[in-house]
């Protein structure tokens, strides 16, 4: 058996020495970054060869070039022209607007109009430059927190291949890039929010997308600057891959209908004279001069990449680990060495010098082409595989083997001639000497190879073509717990060496073993193997490849395996830590809602500081249980808490499912905020009343009395922020709009209704006719100098009450108008009819009594006069 191993080693010693040596040199050169520029150039070529992707219809770029400068006759364009441009874009109702033009200083005329426009456009994002020669943002947009950074990351060859999501400034503040901020604003309108999936690895989740930060050594990069949060750009394309319209066409009202509606709109310069052009993978072309890409197109590509990953699942650029890249280089080094060896030992080409080298060139071209083709196909699936380093290993190994066998054949030829000359006279002596030299050479080669295999820190096994173990090194015997068991067949391998399917007590299916698949001509790798010993379980990663003879038949299988206990342990700890972080994050969100952090532009509760605040247009909802004090006095403290928690758990989903969040609980009262449409707050109030009806039915079945609640909703500008001291702070909302919502909730009891809204909320509804609403009154709320118009929303009233209010709605509102005009007798008649149709209409009853009092007072005045 040992002699058979020596024979294999002797046959393949050139490959076993040259291929790993060449691979090692290439890997070392790769670590030094010697192939970095060539790998970048290959990646650029893949981008240009990749089939053109479809136009991203969610993005529109308003371009400014030389013809637009001629049209405006000024650069920078004046504030008046810029304000007019943004107004016309705003009229198209885009989701968000990105202004990729610096505006840190006014450009008269029209600065006042532009500032007012900035203040009234919450979906407008300006830019600043924070790295190198900084450029300040527009002061107004900076104050409103509507600014993204315009900085780009350049590689050492001057090209942009990475996208910058965010950067932390010297003051410790996180700044989002323009492309990131626009994408997040757009996705928030789709109900998607950025989440931290793995805090340790800084993996972010957004919809279907998972974002991993660039580390500086990803792909072909070696020691690159990884500051901020960077990702590799998976370009959609150049300017032609986006919808565009010129500044001149926008100002001249030549905008196609709905071109910008619900879309992301960029405004940026594209002309060659603006000095906002960059080299990208699309710049290099052997047949023409380099074509530069405008900065606004690079920002648009980053935005498109983020929203496409989140909404469509479009993959990001992926790459292998360093270990896998090493195996990849080693494999191609062996491919070059094995192919070259077979060629130079082929009997058909032994005596044909020209045919041998022509065939050698063809093999190099075909093998290299296969490598490039495989890498390009992988790139189409968004995998960036090394090309230059394995190609170098392939060619170098092939040339080294070719040189070795050329020299070896020449030496053998010379030796043979000498031996033949002396063979006739000294046949016996020469024969003995030759045999001794051959055996000595074989023993020396086998000894060196055995030393090498015994020294490697991984298990190595050789299996013959019959499936029997031929050789095990020391590490392999230690991991398996035993040496070679004679006459062990491949079917008995798993049982003899106690190989199990990971995580189970099931023997590993022998037909899935890498050695079985290698005997069938297939190289394979698995990492779901376990060895069950007496006192421990050892997880393994195993790799096997076939070894062929000169005729192309499989003679042996080389099996390599290693202990991956530490890797499995690290994976388990990472999963455990991730679960703990998710649980902790969920617990924090129960006290400080994620929505509140987002409104403060904070990524995490760790970023919140005392005094943080932001001004937003929002709707606020107040609800309270009527006569709760009397109800609670009839219950024990434990029953009180059980009742309140049971009630609040019914109300909370109604708010959350309508895009709102609960700011605070005040005993039995609820204060909720809605940062989106006012309709969300009204729908939440209706849903709460419907949930209350179900809750009351359950209470009545258990013998308890039903409860009633009042809900008040108001819409307006509010200040959200944090208040407190160093050791205790909380989030809060400060605004007259909040106080008004609370007063409206109190008025529900006076009018005997369940849900009241202010005229501010009424005017903010997308379609007031979609709800059952009637005008109630004009009141002067305590603490407010102006009158507030109050409306009742009665969608959640019992069916018979709702129908009666609908039938009397027109007459009721007419009577309210007559009452406000002082025509009390006519108003009283209509209110009386309303009461007759709907005796439960307390508002109509209140108005009828008011009319009686007002009418009586008017008659007394007339009689006195």
């Amino acid at each position: 058996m040992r002699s058979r191993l020596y024979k294999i080693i002797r046959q393949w010693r050139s490959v076993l020495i040259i291929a790993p040596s060449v691979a090692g040199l290439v890997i070392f050169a790769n670590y030094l970054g010697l192939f970095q520029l060539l790998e970048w150039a290959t990646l650029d070529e893949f981008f240009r060869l990749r089939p053109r992707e479809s136009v991203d219809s969610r993005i529109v770029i308003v371009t400014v070039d030389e013809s637009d400068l001629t049209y405006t006759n000024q650069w920078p364009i004046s504030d008046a022209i810029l304000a007019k441009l943004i107004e016309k874009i705003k009229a198209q109702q885009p989701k968000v607007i990105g202004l990729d033009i610096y505006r840190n200083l006014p450009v008269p005329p029209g600065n006042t109009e532009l500032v007012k426009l900035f203040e009234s456009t919450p979906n407008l994002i300006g830019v600043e430059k924070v790295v190198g020669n900084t450029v300040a943002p527009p002061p107004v947009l900076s104050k409103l927190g509507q600014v993204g950074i315009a900085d780009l990351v350049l590689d050492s060859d001057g090209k942009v291949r990475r996208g910058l999501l965010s950067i932390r400034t010297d003051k410790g503040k996180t700044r989002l890039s323009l492309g990131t901020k626009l994408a997040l604003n757009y996705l928030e309108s789709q109900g998607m929010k950025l989440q931290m999936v793995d805090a340790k690895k800084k993996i972010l989740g957004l919809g279907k997308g998972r974002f991993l930060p660039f580390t500086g050594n990803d792909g072909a990069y070696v020691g690159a600057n990884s500051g901020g949060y960077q990702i590799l750009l998976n370009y959609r394309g150049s300017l032609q891959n986006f919808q565009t319209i010129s500044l001149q066409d926008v100002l001249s009202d030549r905008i196609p209908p709905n071109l910008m509606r619900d879309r992301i709109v960029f405004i940026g310069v594209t002309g060659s004279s603006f000095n906002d052009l960059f080299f990208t993978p699309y710049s290099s072309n052997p047949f023409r001069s380099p074509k530069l890409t405008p900065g606004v197109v690079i920002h648009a590509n980053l935005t498109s990449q983020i929203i496409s990953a989140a909404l469509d699942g479009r993959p990001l650029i992926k790459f292998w680990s360093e270990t896998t890249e090493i195996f990849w280089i080693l494999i191609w080094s062996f491919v070059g060495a094995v192919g070259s060896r077979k060629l130079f030992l082929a009997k058909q080409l032994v005596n044909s010098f020209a045919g041998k080298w022509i065939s050698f060139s063809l093999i190099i071209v075909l093998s290299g082409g296969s490598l490039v083709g495989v890498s390009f196909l992988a790139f189409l699936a968004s995998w960036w595989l090394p090309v230059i380093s394995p190609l170098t290993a392939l060619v170098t190994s092939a040339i080294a083997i070719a040189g070795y066998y050329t020299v070896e054949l020449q030496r053998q030829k010379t030796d043979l001639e000498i031996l033949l000359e002396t063979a006739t006279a000294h046949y016996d002596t020469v024969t003995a000497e030759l045999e001794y030299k051959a055996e000595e050479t074989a023993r020396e080669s086998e000894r060196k190879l055995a030393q090498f295999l015994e020294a490697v820190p991984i298990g190595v096994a050789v299996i013959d073509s019959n499936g029997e173990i031929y050789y095990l090194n020391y590490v392999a015997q230690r991991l398996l717990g035993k040496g070679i068991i004679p006459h062990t067949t491949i079917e008995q391998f798993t049982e003899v060496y106690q190989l199990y399917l990971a995580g189970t007590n099931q023997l590993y299916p022998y037909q899935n073993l890498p050695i079985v698949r290698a005997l069938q001509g297939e190289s394979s790798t698995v990492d779901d193997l376990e060895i069950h010993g007496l006192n421990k379980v050892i997880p393994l990663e195993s790799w096997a490849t076939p070894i062929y003879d000169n005729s192309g038949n499989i003679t042996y299988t080389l099996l390599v395996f290693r202990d991956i206990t530490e890797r499995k342990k690290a994976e388990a700890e990472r999963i455990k830590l991730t679960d703990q972080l998710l649980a902790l994050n969920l617990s924090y969100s129960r006290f400080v809602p994620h929505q509140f952090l987002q409104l403060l532009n904070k990524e995490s509760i760790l970023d919140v500081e005392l005094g943080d605040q932001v001004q937003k247009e929002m709707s606020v909802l107040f609800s309270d249980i009527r006569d709760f004090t009397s109800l609670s006095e009839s219950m024990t403290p434990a029953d009180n808490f059980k009742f309140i928690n049971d009630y609040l758990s019914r109300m909370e989903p109604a708010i959350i499912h309508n895009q709102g969040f609960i700011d605070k609980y005040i005993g039995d009262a609820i204060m909720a905020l809605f940062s989106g449409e006012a309709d969300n707050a009204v729908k939440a109030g209706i849903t709460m009343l419907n949930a209350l009806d179900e809750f009351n039915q359950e209470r009545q079945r258990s013998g308890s009395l039903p409860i009633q609640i009042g809900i008040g909703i108001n819409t307006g500008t509010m200040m959200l922020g944090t208040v407190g001291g160093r050791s205790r702070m909380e989030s809060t909302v400060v605004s007259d709009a909040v106080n008004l919502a609370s007063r409206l909730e109190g008025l529900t009891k006076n009018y005997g209704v369940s849900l009241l809204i202010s005229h501010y909320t009424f005017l903010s509804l997308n379609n007031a006719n979609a709800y059952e609403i009637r005008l109630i009154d004009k009141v002067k709320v305590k603490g407010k100098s102006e009158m507030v118009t109050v409306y009742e929303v009665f969608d959640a009233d019992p069916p018979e009450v709702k129908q009666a209010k609908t039938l009397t709605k027109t007459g009721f509102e007419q009577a309210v108008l007559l009452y406000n005009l002082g025509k009390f007798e006519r108003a009283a008649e209509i209110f009386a009819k309303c009461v007759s149709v709907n005796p439960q209409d307390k508002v109509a009853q209140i108005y009828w009594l008011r009319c009686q009092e007002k009418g009586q007072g008017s008659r007394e005045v007339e009689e006195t006069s």
Side-chain angles (χ1 to χ4, degrees):
M1 183 175 294
R2 185 175 294 275
S3 62
R4 292 173 64 185
L5 177 61
Y6 290 160
K7 182 180 179 181
I8 295 173
I9 295 173
R10 186 166 60 251
Q11 290 177 344
W12 292 92
R13 63 180 180 273
S14 59
V15 173
L16 293 175
I17 294 173
I18 291 176
S21 300
V22 170
L25 291 174
V26 171
I27 292 167
F28 180 70
N30 196 35
Y31 280 140
L32 295 178
L34 300 183
F35 302 115
Q36 183 172 245
L37 289 175
L38 292 175
E39 293 285 7
W40 287 349
T42 305
L43 175 66
D44 296 345
E45 191 63 31
F46 283 176
F47 269 113
R48 290 191 295 274
L49 294 176
R50 184 170 66 176
R52 180 176 175 179
E53 295 195 43
S54 60
V55 173
D56 194 335
S57 60
R58 294 165 295 206
I59 296 176
V60 177
I61 301 177
V62 178
T63 62
V64 182
D65 58 16
E66 282 77 5
S67 62
D68 296 307
L69 288 193
T70 303
Y71 177 75
T72 60
N73 197 28
Q74 182 180 355
W75 181 257
I77 58 177
S78 67
D79 290 345
I81 293 176
L82 185 58
K84 182 180 179 182
L85 176 68
I86 296 174
E87 280 286 5
K88 290 185 178 293
I89 294 173
K90 186 177 177 182
Q92 285 258 316
Q93 298 181 347
K95 284 287 185 186
V96 61
I97 305 170
L99 178 60
D100 188 24
I101 297 176
Y102 292 124
R103 217 60 178 182
N104 55 320
L105 298 174
V107 182
N111 180 253
T112 303
E113 291 78 0
L114 183 62
V115 170
K116 290 181 179 179
L117 182 61
F118 283 168
E119 292 175 339
S120 62
T121 310
N123 61 338
L124 174 66
I125 307 299
V127 291
E128 64 176 328
K129 192 174 187 303
V130 299
V131 179
N133 296 324
T134 62
V135 179
V140 176
L141 295 181
S142 177
K143 182 178 179 182
L144 296 174
Q146 296 172 207
V147 177
I149 62 174
D151 297 88
L152 298 176
V153 182
L154 303 182
D155 287 334
S156 58
D157 62 351
K159 291 185 180 180
V160 179
R161 299 183 181 89
R162 290 170 279 160
L164 186 62
L165 298 189
S166 66
I167 192 171
R168 188 172 289 274
T169 64
D170 295 337
K171 296 180 180 179
K173 297 293 184 179
T174 299
R175 293 285 187 269
L176 299 179
S177 68
L178 176 63
T180 305
K181 199 168 184 68
L182 294 178
L184 293 181
N185 284 13
Y186 179 85
L187 293 172
E188 282 183 5
S189 67
Q190 307 287 329
M192 293 186 183
K193 296 166 184 176
L194 192 64
Q195 295 180 337
M196 180 65 73
V197 176
D198 188 332
K200 185 176 181 180
K201 294 185 177 180
K202 297 183 179 179
I203 299 177
L204 300 175
L206 187 61
K208 298 179 182 178
R210 291 293 180 271
F211 297 86
L212 283 74
F214 176 78
T215 63
N217 292 298
D218 295 340
Y221 283 93
V222 177
N225 181 7
S226 59
Y229 197 112
Q230 304 177 28
I231 61 173
L232 293 177
L233 278 173
N234 189 3
Y235 278 95
R236 180 174 289 273
S238 56
L239 186 62
Q240 289 71 30
N241 284 75
F242 298 94
Q243 301 179 90
T244 62
I245 184 171
S246 69
L247 174 143
Q248 183 176 349
D249 286 342
V250 175
L251 294 180
S252 301
D253 293 325
R254 294 196 294 268
I255 309 176
N258 295 324
L259 173 67
M260 304 176 184
R261 184 176 180 83
D262 294 331
R263 287 175 170 81
I264 301 172
V265 178
F266 281 88
I267 305 172
V269 295
T270 58
S272 58
S273 62
F274 293 105
N275 198 29
D276 189 27
L277 300 173
F278 299 88
F279 288 101
T280 66
Y282 298 98
S283 298
S284 300
N285 192 309
F287 304 107
R288 63 170 184 259
S289 59
K291 183 178 180 181
L292 301 180
T293 301
V296 68
V297 176
I298 298 175
H299 292 307
N301 268 282
L302 178 59
T303 300
S304 176
Q305 180 171 341
I306 295 172
I307 62 178
S308 296
L311 296 175
D312 309 327
R314 180 174 181 262
L316 304 173
I317 296 293
K318 301 180 285 293
F319 37 81
W320 279 341
S321 65
E322 292 184 0
T323 302
T324 308
E325 288 185 0
I326 290 173
F327 273 112
W328 181 245
I329 295 171
L330 186 63
I331 288 171
W332 284 104
S333 183
F334 269 99
V335 168
V338 171
S340 182
R341 177 184 182 276
K342 285 190 173 184
L343 174 67
F344 277 83
L345 294 181
K347 294 180 179 179
Q348 299 87 341
L349 300 174
V350 167
N351 298 318
S352 176
F353 179 83
K356 184 178 298 183
W357 286 103
I358 291 173
S359 300
F360 175 78
S361 300
L362 288 175
I363 287 177
I364 293 295
V365 172
L366 292 175
S367 300
S370 300
L371 168 60
V372 175
V374 169
S375 299
F376 181 66
L377 291 176
F379 179 73
L380 294 181
S382 298
W383 280 94
W384 181 16
L385 308 187
V387 176
I388 303 302
S389 51
L391 183 60
T392 302
L394 167 73
V395 174
T396 305
S397 292
I399 294 175
I401 290 292
Y404 170 83
Y405 277 102
T406 299
V407 173
E408 181 68 16
L409 288 175
Q410 185 63 38
R411 185 187 63 79
Q412 290 179 0
K413 182 179 179 181
T414 302
D415 291 345
L416 182 60
E417 291 175 351
I418 296 173
L419 289 172
L420 287 175
E421 290 176 359
T422 58
T424 54
H426 306 284
Y427 176 78
D428 294 337
T429 304
V430 171
T431 302
E433 184 69 19
L434 287 174
E435 290 178 352
Y436 174 78
K437 287 184 177 180
E439 291 177 357
E440 184 65 23
T441 302
R443 285 194 295 271
E444 181 65 18
S445 299
E446 290 176 356
R447 185 181 65 81
K448 290 181 178 179
L449 180 59
Q451 288 178 343
F452 173 77
L453 294 178
E454 292 295 334
V456 295
I458 56 177
V460 179
V462 179
I463 293 86
D464 64 20
S465 59
N466 296 322
E468 296 186 7
I469 300 177
Y470 182 75
Y471 171 78
L472 289 175
N473 72 346
Y474 170 74
V475 176
Q477 295 183 41
R478 179 173 56 80
L479 290 174
L480 294 173
K482 58 189 71 175
I484 298 175
I485 307 299
H487 310 299
T488 299
T489 64
I490 197 68
E491 291 83 0
Q492 301 169 331
F493 195 80
T494 56
E495 183 175 358
V496 169
Y497 290 101
Q498 292 293 290
L499 301 180
Y500 287 82
L501 195 62
T504 71
N505 288 321
Q506 175 185 346
L507 286 172
Y508 200 90
Y510 82 91
Q511 61 272 21
N512 294 340
L513 288 171
I515 54 174
V516 176
R517 296 165 69 178
L519 287 172
Q520 298 170 355
E522 176 186 357
S523 296
S524 64
T525 303
V526 299
D527 61 356
D528 56 349
L529 269 170
E530 284 183 351
I531 296 178
H532 287 198
L534 294 176
N535 300 318
K536 62 179 179 179
V537 174
I538 304 175
L540 296 180
E541 181 181 42
S542 177
W543 173 75
T545 187
I547 299 176
Y548 299 88
D549 61 14
N550 294 337
S551 301
N553 300 318
I554 298 175
T555 55
Y556 293 95
T557 295
L558 180 64
L559 175 66
V560 177
F561 51 95
R562 62 175 179 171
D563 183 353
I564 56 173
T565 301
E566 293 302 320
R567 191 177 83 184
K568 291 289 186 181
K569 187 182 298 182
E571 290 177 356
E573 292 177 353
R574 178 177 57 81
I575 294 173
K576 180 180 178 182
L577 178 60
T578 301
D579 292 340
Q580 290 175 345
L581 290 175
L582 289 174
L584 182 61
N585 190 43
L586 179 61
S587 297
Y588 276 133
S589 66
R590 297 172 67 185
F591 292 94
V592 180
H594 286 304
Q595 298 92 330
F596 197 93
L597 295 179
Q598 292 166 354
L599 290 173
L600 288 177
N601 292 321
K602 301 297 182 182
E603 296 180 0
S604 164
I605 192 172
L606 300 176
D607 298 328
V608 177
E609 298 178 358
L610 184 64
D612 286 338
Q613 51 81 27
V614 67
Q615 182 173 323
K616 301 286 287 186
E617 181 78 15
M618 304 180 70
S619 296
V620 58
L621 178 150
F622 265 96
S623 73
D624 197 9
I625 300 176
R626 293 180 182 164
D627 300 322
F628 177 71
T629 302
S630 301
L631 179 64
S632 64
E633 289 175 350
S634 63
M635 294 186 288
T636 65
D639 289 337
N640 258 301
F641 273 97
K642 180 179 179 182
F643 164 74
I644 290 177
N645 288 329
D646 194 12
Y647 162 73
L648 294 177
S649 65
R650 307 297 183 96
M651 299 298 107
E652 181 187 42
I655 295 168
I656 294 175
H657 292 164
N658 286 285
Q659 288 74 54
F661 67 93
I662 296 173
D663 179 65
K664 57 175 62 73
Y665 295 113
I666 311 168
D668 61 305
I670 298 174
M671 176 181 168
L673 299 174
F674 299 81
S675 60
E677 300 173 345
D679 295 71
N680 294 333
V682 175
K683 290 176 182 177
I686 295 171
T687 306
M688 290 171 67
L689 292 171
N690 289 331
L692 177 68
D693 183 56
E694 297 178 2
F695 181 55
N696 280 333
Q697 293 178 18
E698 294 179 9
R699 285 179 58 81
Q700 289 175 323
R701 284 195 292 269
S702 63
S704 301
L705 295 175
I707 63 173
Q708 292 182 327
I709 66 173
I711 299 175
I713 300 174
N714 183 39
T715 303
T717 302
M718 305 176 195
M719 291 293 295
L720 293 87
T722 55
V723 297
R726 291 183 177 272
S727 60
R728 173 74 170 90
M729 67 178 180
E730 66 175 18
S731 59
T732 189
V733 181
V734 179
S735 173
D736 285 343
V738 177
N739 298 331
L740 179 54
S742 176
R743 301 292 189 273
L744 290 177
E745 183 278 320
L747 289 175
T748 59
K749 186 173 183 180
N750 297 343
Y751 289 113
V753 297
S754 298
L755 175 55
L756 290 178
I757 65 175
S758 68
H759 68 271
Y760 301 111
T761 300
F762 179 83
L763 294 175
S764 298
L765 296 175
N766 290 327
N767 182 12
N769 294 325
Y771 309 95
E772 297 293 345
I773 300 177
R774 65 174 182 171
L775 174 66
I776 294 296
D777 202 353
K778 281 189 174 181
V779 299
K780 184 175 182 182
V781 181
K782 182 179 179 182
K784 299 283 288 184
S785 59
E786 59 183 14
M787 299 292 285
V788 178
T789 304
V790 182
Y791 295 85
E792 176 194 4
V793 181
F794 55 91
D795 290 74
D797 281 8
E800 63 278 3
V801 176
K802 178 179 177 182
Q803 182 179 6
K805 288 183 179 180
T806 302
L807 290 173
T808 60
K809 176 181 175 181
T810 303
F812 176 86
E813 292 182 339
Q814 179 185 3
V816 173
L817 178 60
L818 291 171
Y819 173 84
N820 290 327
L821 293 174
K823 299 179 180 180
F824 304 115
E825 293 184 2
R826 178 58 183 148
E829 293 176 4
I830 300 176
F831 283 129
K833 292 180 181 179
C834 293
V835 174
S836 65
V837 174
N838 183 14
Q840 300 181 46
D841 192 348
K842 184 178 178 180
V843 182
Q845 295 175 11
I846 292 172
Y847 268 110
W848 185 83
L849 291 175
R850 288 183 185 177
C851 289
Q852 298 301 318
E853 296 173 358
K854 296 284 187 179
Q856 181 66 31
S858 298
R859 285 192 293 272
E860 290 176 356
V861 170
E862 290 175 0
E863 292 171 2
T864 303
S865 60

